């Protein structure tokens, strides 16, 4: 039999693969680079993963026969070792106080035996090869109680016996002896009531009743043992968490300790948090940051403006334990934007059943508006879920002037806008516990807003004091926006110590459609135009995060892939003889695709009792492709960078805490700013994007000081290169706004806040900020003088009774300069009250807000553009909320990290 072979020409699949490889050589190269980084991350954690609970046959299948009668845990472990080859490893100090155990004689697996011996204790167990480790359960809270035992002359008593007993179980949790200085340390794992017993041979015994609350470390006053005492003495000590706490990468604001935590929505309660500013239009910002993201229980949500405000209004402040303010996001989170984070930590309420609220708020300024909301929460043994719904209808009037002065021909513009914005928003979240190791869930959000605005504009061309001509423009802008977000996730608990693998798939779509119909006319000009700007954003991502907590460190690592697609169409039509005629020279289609890959690794460790450190490294690679079929023009680019983060905290004592942070960030251009064609507001005024925009980078340092949990002081510095900024060009009557990378800037700033309950009935929060900016421009026509900015605020909440409280807040932004933009002073004043009725289930909230006009100047070497806007912020509001169901039911408040969406707004 003859065999022959001949070479086949590439075709079919082979040719297709060759084409794909050639077109994506850069992408594949960066993917290989990312693979190496990811392989390094996985290899460094592989051995650590081996330390999780194994499925060896001995512990799960091997049987032992033992019984205990009023014996210690150490005795029980010894009996198991006598019947098996397994060996136990533990700290003697952690098990010696566990005594008085009783176990009926029987034949059980080793695992079942240990479960019965360690129930109702703070210990857990896991098998590593032929050994079983007995260790403190990391999932439980760890409280530390410290004190000193002295005699009547305040001399230290050494070697006194100290025990701590849990009142609910009547079990001794731990025993210890005082050192030569009379000092002792005890630990507990749960909130509740305890008895601390202290005895010494030559002294009478003494018992202290201790109630553990939120404070993790309790310092007892000196305990005096007196030989003349012949009876039981009881002292009750209740711990209270300070209002502010400093962790390694965040500032903790304990909202639960404030008057604002009762009877208000979370949106209103955020106004008293340090470093945060809540505006009347619903935006939330952080001092020294360009933007901010919001998390609930460590999971990022992404809503902006009215959507974010409406969501936060469905959460009650009573159900929030604390707010974590993160000015330097760790490597786990996206490096995009000069952004801060806040993490809203909800109380761990485990009651089963239903809970809900319905509410409505009426607003009155020039026109009336309203907002209605509803929230339902359900929890069973396996399922937790939440459903939110919001309906709103806002009416507004805005008066704006834009003046371009400083050159022979001036342009003076006055505009008046009347609008209404009805909207619907709803969200569903379901979490299902498959078993004790696996949870799955879905989150779905949908919103539909229809904004309609009518406007009239007076556009005057002036030479000296003479008006050359006037262009009058009237029109109507409609902007319906339909948005959907869908998330699927899976959480795998690898062991009882908190090791966890979380994975999710996310999808987002947004279809903003802006249609601007306007008529511009002057003595010699008439134009009737329809200018449409239609976009369709589609974003999806997949990510996986691994958390590995150990006694010596906490490790986090993960990877993420995200892809963006935007199909945009700008169409400019002229009305000619009542027909729409497309102007192809002013119309354009633009398709944009972007792929992002990321991987990160971070480690946090307690170096000593005073020092804690955390460091992380994130790598992000971006491949972008923008194509205009109208121009047959394509712009492709790829880039990758490393983004380090570092933190160190020094706790000098219980009153003084110092920290230092560093991070590197990237700010990519928004998808809309990359479209090169023009969008017109009248025949002479238009905006264009720039497909050649580069990302900007910033390096950030921050020093923090916290005194006695009430005074916080921060100093920060930042260097930003290739800032994405607006450039205004005036050419005769035409005013063109574009986007360029022409600024770099150095910032130096400081922030101080004082948060304290002055009295039981008065919470006070005072803050002040200052910053100095030194910008540099690549364009000589743009003047960039150094500038300063500052602000201060006073927030006061008064509690007149358990049913009535009221607040009084004032905020002032001082004049400031940022790059070539000068901002005039702005101020706001807010007063309101909260009244609770019908067993606290009905809440009435009247309020009044007073704000002033905003004014900006854009300064160039040849002219100055002055923008002045009156948003008619003087508003009276009246809110009514009804709470029903079990107050301690917690639904599913998990949210998925999907902050890519903010570039598609």
């Amino acid at each position: 039999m003859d065999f022959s072979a001949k070479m086949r020409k590439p075709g079919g699949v082979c040719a297709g693969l060759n084409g794909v490889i050639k077109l994506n050589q850069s992408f594949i190269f960066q993917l290989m680079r990312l693979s190496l980084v990811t392989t390094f991350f996985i290899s460094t954690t592989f051995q650590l993963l081996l330390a999780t609970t194994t499925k060896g046959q001995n512990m799960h299948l091997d049987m032992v026969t033992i019984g205990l009668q009023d014996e210690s845990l150490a005795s029980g472990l010894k009996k198991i070792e006598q019947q098996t080859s397994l060996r136990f490893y533990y700290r003697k100090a952690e098990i010696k106080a566990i005594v008085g155990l009783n176990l009926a004689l029987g034949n059980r697996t080793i695992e079942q035996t240990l479960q019965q011996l360690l129930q109702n204790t703070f210990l857990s167990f896991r098998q590593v090869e032929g050994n079983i480790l007995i260790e403190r359960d990391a999932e439980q809270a760890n409280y530390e109680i410290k004190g000193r035992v002295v005699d009547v002359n305040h001399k230290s008593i050494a070697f006194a016996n100290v025990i701590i007993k849990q009142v609910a179980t009547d079990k001794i949790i731990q025993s210890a002896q005082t050192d030569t200085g009379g000092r002792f340390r005890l630990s507990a794992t749960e909130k509740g009531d305890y008895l601390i017993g202290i005895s010494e041979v030559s002294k009478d015994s003494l018992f202290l009743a201790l109630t553990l609350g939120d404070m993790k470390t309790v310092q007892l006053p000196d305990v005096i043992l007196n030989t003349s005492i012949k009876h039981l003495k009881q002292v009750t000590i209740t711990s209270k968490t300070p209002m502010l706490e400093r962790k390694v990468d965040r500032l903790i604001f304990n909202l639960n300790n404030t008057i604002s935590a009762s009877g208000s929505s979370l949106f209103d309660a955020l106004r008293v948090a340090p470093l945060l500013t809540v505006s009347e239009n619903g935006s939330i910002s952080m001092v020294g940051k360009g933007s901010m993201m919001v998390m609930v229980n460590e999971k990022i949500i992404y809503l902006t403006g009215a959507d974010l405000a409406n969501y936060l209004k469905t959460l009650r402040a009573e159900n929030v334990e604390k707010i974590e303010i993160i000015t330097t996001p760790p490597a786990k989170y996206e490096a995009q934007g000069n952004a801060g984070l806040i993490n809203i930590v909800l109380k761990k309420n485990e009651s089963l059943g239903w809970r809900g609220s319905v509410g409505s708020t009426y607003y009155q300024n020039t026109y009336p508006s309203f907002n209605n909301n509803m929230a339902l929460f359900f929890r069973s043994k396996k399922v937790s879920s939440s459903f939110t719904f919001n309906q709103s209808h806002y009416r507004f009037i805005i008066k704006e002037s834009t003046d371009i002065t400083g050159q022979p021909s001036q342009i003076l513009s006055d505009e008046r806008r009347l609008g209404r914005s009805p909207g619907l928003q709803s969200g569903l979240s379901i979490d299902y516990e498959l078993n004790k190791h696996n949870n799955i869930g879905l989150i779905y959000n949908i919103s539909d807003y229809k904004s309609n605005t009518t406007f009239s504009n007076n556009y005057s061309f002036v030479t000296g004091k003479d008006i050359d001509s006037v262009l009058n423009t009237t029109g109507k802008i409609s902007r319906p926006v339909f948005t959907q977000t869908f998330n699927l996730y899976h959480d795998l608990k690898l062991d009882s110590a908190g090791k966890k693998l979380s994975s999710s798939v996310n999808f987002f779509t947004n279809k903003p459609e802006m249609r601007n119909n306007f008529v511009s006319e002057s003595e010699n000009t008439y134009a009737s135009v329809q200018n449409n700007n239609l976009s369709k954003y589609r974003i999806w991502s997949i990510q996986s995060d691994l958390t590995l907590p150990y006694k010596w460190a906490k490790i986090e690592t993960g990877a993420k892939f995200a892809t963006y697609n935007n199909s945009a169409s700008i169409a400019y039509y002229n009305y000619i003889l009542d027909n729409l005629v497309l102007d192809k020279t002013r119309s354009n289609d633009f398709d944009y695709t972007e792929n992002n890959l990321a991987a990160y690794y971070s480690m946090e460790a307690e170096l000593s009792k005073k020092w804690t450190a955390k460091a992380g490294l994130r790598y992000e690679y971006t491949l972008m492709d923008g194509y205009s079929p109208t121009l047959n023009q394509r712009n492709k680019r790829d880039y990758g960078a490393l983004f380090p983060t570092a933190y160190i905290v020094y706790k000098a004592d219980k009153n003084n805490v110092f920290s230092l942070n560093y991070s590197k960030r990237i700010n990519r251009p928004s998808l809309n700013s990359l479209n090169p064609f023009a969008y017109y507001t009248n025949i002479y005024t238009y905006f264009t994007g720039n497909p050649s925009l580069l990302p900007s980078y910033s390096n950030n340092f921050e020093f923090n000081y916290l005194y006695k949990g009430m005074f916080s002081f921060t100093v920060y510095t930042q260097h930003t290169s290739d800032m994405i900024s607006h450039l205004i060009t005036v050419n005769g009557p035409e005013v063109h706004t574009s986007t360029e990378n022409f600024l770099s800037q150095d910032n130096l700033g400081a922030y101080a806040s004082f948060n304290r309950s002055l009295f039981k009935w008065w919470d006070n929060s005072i803050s002040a900020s200052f910053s100095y900016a030194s910008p540099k421009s690549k364009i000589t026509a743009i003047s960039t003088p150094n500038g300063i900015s500052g602000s201060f605020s006073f927030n006061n909440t008064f509690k007149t009774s358990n049913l009535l409280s009221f607040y009084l807040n004032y905020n002032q932004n001082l004049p400031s300069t940022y790059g070539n933009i000068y901002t005039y002073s702005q101020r706001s004043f807010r007063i309101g009250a909260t009244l609770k009725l019908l067993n606290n289930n009905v809440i009435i909230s009247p309020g009044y807000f007073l704000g002033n006009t905003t004014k900006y100047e854009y300064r160039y070497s040849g002219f100055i553009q002055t923008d002045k806007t009156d948003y008619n912020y003087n508003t009276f509001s009246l809110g009514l909320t009804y709470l029903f169901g079990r107050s301690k039911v917690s639904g599913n408040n998990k949210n998925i990290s999907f902050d890519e969406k903010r570039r598609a707004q």
Side-chain angles (χ1 to χ4, degrees):
M1 183 177 290
D2 296 328
F3 293 90
S4 64
K6 63 179 180 179
M7 182 178 294
R8 183 185 178 197
K9 295 182 179 180
V13 175
C14 295
L17 288 175
N18 285 337
V20 170
I21 293 172
K22 290 180 180 179
L23 289 174
N24 296 278
Q25 284 181 342
S26 178
F27 177 77
I28 295 172
F29 174 74
Q30 291 293 337
L31 184 61
M32 294 172 62
R33 179 189 296 178
L34 185 68
S35 300
L36 292 175
V37 176
T38 306
T39 302
F40 170 74
F41 287 162
I42 294 175
S43 65
T44 57
T45 56
F46 183 73
Q47 294 298 326
L48 298 172
L49 282 172
L50 294 178
T52 60
T53 305
T54 64
K55 297 183 179 179
Q57 294 182 348
N58 286 342
M59 185 178 74
H60 299 283
L61 300 178
D62 283 8
M63 311 292 287
V64 293
T65 303
I66 68 168
L68 300 178
Q69 291 185 352
D70 197 25
E71 298 180 48
S72 66
L73 176 59
S75 175
L77 298 180
K78 186 175 181 180
K79 289 183 179 182
I80 296 176
E81 286 184 332
Q82 291 173 350
Q83 300 182 38
T84 179
S85 61
L86 291 174
R87 289 295 175 263
F88 290 93
Y89 289 88
Y90 49 81
R91 292 182 177 180
K92 293 182 179 180
E94 291 182 345
I95 72 166
K96 69 177 183 179
I98 303 178
V99 296
L101 298 179
N102 292 284
L103 182 66
L105 183 65
N107 190 29
R108 310 172 186 83
T109 66
I110 298 173
E111 183 180 30
Q112 292 171 340
T113 303
L114 290 173
Q115 287 174 346
Q116 294 193 34
L117 292 178
L118 298 179
Q119 66 179 350
N120 299 323
T121 71
F122 54 87
L123 299 176
S124 61
F125 63 93
R126 57 191 174 101
Q127 182 179 341
V128 180
E129 297 180 347
N131 307 305
I132 295 181
L133 305 182
I134 307 293
E135 56 189 353
R136 184 180 297 275
D137 192 345
E139 288 188 336
Q140 299 185 20
N142 189 15
Y143 296 91
E144 184 180 39
I145 302 101
K146 299 184 291 185
R148 188 170 74 112
V149 181
V150 297
D151 60 19
V152 292
N153 297 317
H154 291 279
K155 293 184 178 180
S156 302
I157 300 177
F159 309 113
N161 296 312
V162 186
I163 64 167
I164 181 169
K165 179 189 291 187
Q166 190 174 30
V167 174
T169 60
D170 197 34
K171 288 187 176 181
I172 296 176
I173 304 301
Q174 186 185 9
S175 62
Q177 282 189 332
T178 59
D179 59 18
T180 55
R183 293 178 291 270
F184 66 87
R185 292 176 183 267
L186 300 170
S187 61
T189 59
E190 299 176 357
K191 296 180 180 180
D193 297 327
Y194 293 84
L195 283 177
I196 296 178
I198 304 173
S199 62
E200 202 271 340
V201 176
S202 61
K203 302 290 189 298
D204 282 344
S205 298
L206 177 68
F207 283 87
L208 306 177
L210 174 65
T211 299
L212 292 179
D214 294 326
M215 184 178 291
K216 300 298 183 183
T217 301
V218 178
Q219 178 66 55
L220 299 175
D222 285 353
V223 180
I224 301 175
L225 292 185
N226 193 329
T227 55
S228 64
I229 296 178
K230 301 297 182 182
H231 59 277
L232 176 69
K233 181 179 180 181
Q234 179 168 306
V235 180
T236 300
I237 302 172
T238 303
S239 62
K240 184 178 180 181
T241 308
M243 195 169 291
L244 299 177
E245 295 180 272
R246 168 62 63 180
K247 300 299 182 182
V248 66
D249 60 357
R250 61 198 65 191
L251 178 69
I252 311 297
F253 175 61
N254 290 299
L255 178 64
N256 194 40
N257 290 351
T258 67
I259 299 174
S260 300
S262 177
S264 65
S265 69
L266 177 58
F267 177 78
D268 292 323
L270 285 177
R271 301 183 191 276
V272 300
L275 288 164
L276 302 183
T277 301
V278 180
S279 69
E280 190 63 16
N281 63 7
S283 65
I284 304 174
S285 58
M286 185 178 294
V287 173
K289 301 297 175 182
S291 60
M292 199 188 69
M293 295 175 289
V294 177
M295 301 188 293
V296 176
N297 291 340
E298 284 288 344
K299 300 296 180 181
I300 294 180
I301 61 174
Y302 186 75
L303 298 170
T304 59
D307 283 345
L308 177 60
N310 292 335
Y311 172 76
L312 295 177
K313 287 173 182 176
T314 65
L315 299 179
R316 304 303 304 169
E318 295 91 337
N319 299 319
V320 176
E321 181 177 348
K322 58 186 176 182
I323 299 170
E324 299 179 343
I325 302 166
I326 308 171
T327 56
T328 305
K332 179 179 181 180
Y333 304 106
E334 302 295 322
Q336 165 67 23
N338 177 29
L341 285 169
I342 62 170
N343 180 38
I344 300 163
V345 180
L346 303 179
K347 294 178 180 177
K348 296 181 179 179
N349 298 323
E350 303 297 336
S351 298
L352 305 182
W354 290 92
R355 172 176 68 85
S357 67
V358 291
S360 181
T361 304
Y362 172 82
Y363 303 92
Q364 180 66 57
N365 42 42
T366 303
Y367 300 103
S369 301
F370 66 85
N371 179 287
N372 302 318
N373 63 77
M374 178 183 70
L376 294 173
F377 303 91
F378 172 75
R379 187 178 184 88
S380 67
K381 292 183 178 180
K382 289 285 188 179
V383 178
S384 61
S385 63
S386 63
F387 172 77
T388 60
F389 176 79
N390 187 278
Q391 181 214 6
S392 61
H393 191 114
Y394 295 102
R395 297 182 64 189
F396 57 87
I397 177 172
I398 299 175
K399 300 175 183 178
E400 186 174 45
S401 65
T402 301
D403 298 337
I404 299 176
T405 59
Q407 54 185 8
S409 297
Q410 303 179 22
I411 301 175
L412 308 179
S413 171
D414 289 302
E415 183 168 299
R416 177 186 174 96
R417 298 196 293 272
L418 296 174
R420 60 180 67 224
S421 179
L424 298 173
Q425 177 193 2
S426 185
L428 175 66
S429 179
I430 300 175
D431 182 274
Y432 179 70
E433 182 181 326
L434 295 174
N435 51 52
K436 65 179 182 179
H437 295 296
N438 292 273
N439 279 60
I440 60 173
L442 66 87
I443 302 169
Y444 178 69
N445 288 287
I446 184 172
S447 65
D448 187 12
Y449 290 90
K450 294 178 174 62
S451 175
N452 294 284
T453 304
T454 60
F455 67 92
S456 60
N457 179 277
N458 181 282
Y459 207 72
S460 301
F461 301 92
V462 180
T463 301
K465 295 183 179 181
D466 299 325
I467 298 177
D468 298 329
S469 62
V470 176
L471 180 71
N472 294 310
T473 301
T474 59
K476 181 179 180 180
I477 299 174
S478 64
R479 192 177 188 270
V481 179
F482 182 74
T483 301
Q484 295 184 87
T485 306
F486 185 73
N487 315 101
L488 287 174
Y489 66 85
H490 172 240
D491 290 336
L492 172 63
K493 298 178 181 178
L494 301 175
D495 67 2
S496 61
K499 297 182 179 68
K500 184 172 70 172
L501 178 65
S502 300
S503 302
S504 66
V505 177
N506 317 294
F507 177 75
F508 168 80
T509 180
N510 184 16
K511 295 175 64 177
E513 300 178 356
M514 182 178 291
R515 290 178 170 85
N516 184 8
N517 291 273
F518 64 87
V519 175
S520 294
E521 55 184 334
S522 65
E523 184 177 351
N524 302 314
T525 303
Y526 179 86
S528 181
V529 174
Q530 182 181 106
N531 195 191
N532 300 335
N533 187 352
L534 312 180
S535 297
K536 184 177 181 180
Y537 300 100
R538 296 172 302 279
I539 304 174
W540 69 270
S541 71
I542 182 171
Q543 68 184 87
S544 187
D545 300 287
L546 179 63
T547 303
L548 303 171
Y550 295 97
K551 292 182 179 179
W552 51 273
K554 178 182 178 181
I555 295 173
E556 293 179 311
T557 185
K560 185 173 187 176
F561 171 77
T563 182
Y564 305 75
N565 290 281
N566 177 28
S567 298
S569 176
I570 293 180
Y572 188 99
Y573 296 92
N574 290 299
Y575 280 96
I576 300 177
L577 300 177
D578 295 330
N579 294 317
L580 286 174
V581 179
L582 180 66
D583 185 343
K584 295 183 178 181
T585 64
R586 296 183 175 184
S587 302
N588 179 49
D589 292 331
F590 183 70
D591 297 321
Y592 180 81
T593 301
E594 180 178 303
N595 294 315
N596 285 336
L597 298 102
Y600 72 91
Y601 188 93
S602 72
M603 179 183 293
E604 176 183 339
E606 186 174 322
L607 306 179
S608 68
K609 293 180 180 179
K610 292 182 178 292
W611 291 91
T612 304
K614 182 175 182 176
L617 187 63
R618 184 180 185 92
Y619 178 76
E620 293 188 2
Y621 168 68
T622 300
L623 176 66
M624 54 174 287
D625 183 3
Y627 175 65
S628 171
T630 307
L631 301 176
N632 193 25
Q633 175 181 316
R634 183 179 296 275
N635 291 276
K636 298 182 67 174
R637 188 182 305 116
D638 64 280
Y639 51 89
L642 290 170
F643 300 94
T645 55
Y647 315 80
I648 189 163
V649 173
Y650 173 64
K651 296 182 180 179
D653 51 46
K654 65 179 181 179
N655 293 330
N656 298 276
V657 182
F658 304 85
S659 67
L660 182 65
N661 309 330
Y662 166 76
S663 68
K664 181 181 178 181
R665 309 282 299 176
I666 183 174
N667 186 29
R668 300 180 181 90
S670 67
L671 304 188
N672 191 49
S673 65
L674 296 168
N675 191 337
F677 258 64
Y679 180 78
Y680 287 79
T681 56
N682 63 44
I683 59 174
Y684 294 134
T685 305
Y686 60 99
F687 169 84
T688 59
N690 181 359
S692 299
L693 282 177
L694 300 172
S696 65
Y697 295 89
S698 64
N699 288 276
N700 310 272
F701 288 91
E702 184 178 285
F703 171 79
N704 302 283
Y705 170 65
L706 181 62
Y707 177 69
K708 285 190 174 181
M710 60 181 179
F711 175 73
S712 175
F713 180 71
T714 299
V715 177
Y716 62 89
T717 181
Q718 178 188 81
H719 173 75
T720 306
S721 59
D722 291 324
M723 292 175 61
I724 301 172
S725 307
H726 284 165
L727 177 64
I728 300 172
T729 304
V730 179
N731 183 15
E734 289 190 348
V735 180
H736 174 209
T737 302
S738 60
T739 309
E740 302 286 347
N741 298 100
F742 64 85
L743 280 178
S744 63
Q745 182 162 287
D746 292 301
N747 290 334
L748 176 65
Y751 175 85
S753 69
F754 176 83
N755 299 76
R756 188 180 180 184
S757 295
L758 300 178
F759 303 97
K760 291 183 178 180
W761 51 271
W762 183 4
D763 281 355
N764 176 256
S765 172
I766 302 174
S767 66
S769 67
F770 172 84
S771 67
Y772 171 80
S774 177
K776 293 182 180 179
S777 173
K778 298 178 182 178
I779 302 175
T780 57
I782 299 177
S783 61
T784 53
N786 297 337
I788 60 173
S789 63
S791 67
F792 60 89
S793 65
F794 301 92
N795 298 291
N796 298 276
T797 308
F798 306 93
K799 183 178 180 181
T800 58
S801 69
N802 290 331
L803 301 178
L804 179 63
S805 63
F806 65 95
Y807 58 85
L808 184 66
N809 303 333
Y810 178 80
N811 182 77
Q812 175 83 50
N813 291 325
L814 303 176
S816 64
T817 301
Y818 186 80
N820 66 318
I821 304 174
Y822 178 81
T823 304
Y824 286 79
S825 177
Q826 299 177 23
R827 61 184 180 275
S828 63
F829 173 78
R830 178 184 296 276
I831 187 171
T834 299
L835 175 63
K836 294 184 287 186
L837 302 172
L838 300 180
N839 198 27
N840 297 333
N841 289 324
V842 174
I843 301 171
I844 302 174
S845 307
Y848 179 74
F849 175 81
L850 176 64
N852 69 325
T853 300
T854 62
K855 186 176 180 181
Y856 302 90
E857 287 185 0
Y858 297 84
R859 297 176 173 177
Y860 298 86
S861 60
F863 64 92
I864 295 176
Q865 175 174 309
T866 304
D867 292 348
K868 185 178 180 181
T869 307
D870 182 1
Y871 290 99
N872 192 27
Y873 271 151
N874 301 346
T875 305
F876 169 78
S877 63
L878 180 62
L880 177 66
T881 301
Y882 175 66
L883 309 177
F884 57 90
R886 296 189 173 187
S887 62
K888 293 188 176 181
V889 172
S890 61
N892 182 27
N893 290 289
K894 182 183 179 80
N895 288 279
I896 301 297
S897 173
F898 197 20
D899 53 307
E900 290 85 4
K901 296 187 296 182
R902 57 194 167 125
R903 294 176 60 209
Q905 302 298 311

